[in-house]
Amino acid sequence: MLAALTLAACGGDDGPSGPTVSDDRTIDVALGYGPVVPLRARLVGPLDGNAWVFTRPGAGRPTGPPVVFVHDWGATDPTTHGPWIAHLVAAGRTVVFPLYQTGQGDRPSRALPQAATGIRNALELLGVSPRRAFYLGYGAGGALAADIAASAGPLTLPRAAGVVAAYPSRTVRPLLTDEGAVRLPAPAGRRLAPGTPLLALAGADDSPETRTVARTLVRAAGPTGRLRVITDPRISEHTGPIQTDPVARRTFWATVDRLIDSEDDA
């Protein structure tokens, strides 16, 4: 069951010297199995480059690499991914959730630059310039997370400490045009920095296209790319990564935790 974001308190913006903050609140997010995690949620940036920033209430400036969580196509409401985001924040991570599909973002060609602008605005709000970040995405966001990581240098973003693409897809359906399904374009000529770990998770009962995209991402990553096909029927369809039951938490949440922990220790 998806968690509801429950408003606890609202605030203002962070002042005229920084990026515009249009929402600042404390929310309580249920992890789906009992615990409730309080988060500070801030929406920063203009419509064509905004992002949610999730931290622990009262937390100071983050010291570790942030986690950039890239939503699936059409899933701009972070409630869809709320339990996983809350789990990451509870573990001490700062989560940046770029809204690449607002403004002109319903055009697939705009997804990458709008996501990058949102991430930069979020980091400016946090007052940090981290050398590294973890890029995590689901669905179309899985492919886009890998694209962002591969383009981090030209986009003036932190280099990838690791990438996880969960059930990645490039087939999207813009809502604001008469087009049918179109392709989310991959950035031409961009590759992950050598040695960057990339894990692509593909569902055995998801569409064949997602498995093709997952294999393509792994091949492009070279020796540090890994593919894992999820066969458990409880989580092998496309919605598997947004479930919160024990098998989903072990398969997706714990896998990402291990990657982050291993890179932190490196």
Side-chain angles (χ1 to χ4, degrees):
M1 182 177 63
L2 297 181
L5 300 185
T6 305
L7 176 62
C10 291
D13 65 26
D14 279 8
S17 60
T20 301
V21 177
S22 56
D23 201 345
D24 186 349
R25 64 179 73 184
T26 299
I27 56 178
D28 294 325
V29 181
L31 294 184
Y33 59 97
V36 174
V37 176
L39 307 180
R40 185 183 183 189
R42 286 173 284 179
L43 182 61
V44 58
L47 189 60
D48 286 341
N50 57 1
W52 284 100
V53 179
F54 297 99
T55 57
R56 291 193 241 186
R61 182 177 297 183
T63 56
V67 176
V68 176
F69 197 122
V70 190
H71 63 78
D72 197 5
W73 189 262
T76 55
D77 184 349
T79 301
T80 302
H81 307 285
W84 199 350
I85 292 170
H87 168 78
L88 290 164
V89 172
R93 301 291 169 184
T94 296
V95 176
V96 173
F97 189 89
L99 297 175
Y100 66 84
Q101 216 177 335
T102 53
Q104 299 184 61
D106 203 51
R107 295 161 49 195
S109 63
R110 292 291 303 157
L112 179 60
Q114 285 198 185
T117 300
I119 296 165
R120 289 193 295 267
N121 283 329
L123 297 178
E124 183 181 355
L125 173 70
L126 291 165
V128 295
S129 299
R131 294 177 53 199
R132 305 191 305 160
F134 294 94
Y135 294 94
L136 163 64
Y138 161 57
L144 188 55
D147 295 346
I148 296 168
S151 306
L155 293 174
T156 321
L157 295 175
R159 68 180 178 87
V163 181
V164 176
Y167 295 16
S169 173
R170 290 196 181 277
T171 300
V172 299
R173 293 183 180 273
L175 300 175
L176 305 180
T177 71
D178 294 329
E179 296 179 89
V182 298
R183 294 282 291 175
L184 186 70
R190 303 297 182 195
R191 288 183 176 272
L192 290 173
T196 304
L198 177 143
L199 173 63
L201 301 165
D205 296 310
D206 200 356
S207 72
E209 187 260 354
T210 62
R211 294 190 292 279
T212 299
V213 172
R215 287 192 291 268
T216 300
L217 294 177
V218 169
R219 285 196 299 269
T224 54
R226 291 189 297 127
L227 172 65
R228 180 179 174 191
V229 178
I230 308 302
T231 59
D232 189 313
R234 292 170 291 182
I235 55 171
S236 59
E237 295 184 350
H238 190 68
T239 58
I242 58 175
Q243 305 306 315
T244 60
D245 58 24
V247 66
R249 298 198 304 271
R250 288 195 302 270
T251 303
F252 303 108
W253 298 11
T255 296
V256 171
D257 292 345
R258 285 193 294 271
L259 175 63
I260 293 175
D261 291 343
S262 67
E263 292 304 306
D264 278 350
D265 294 339

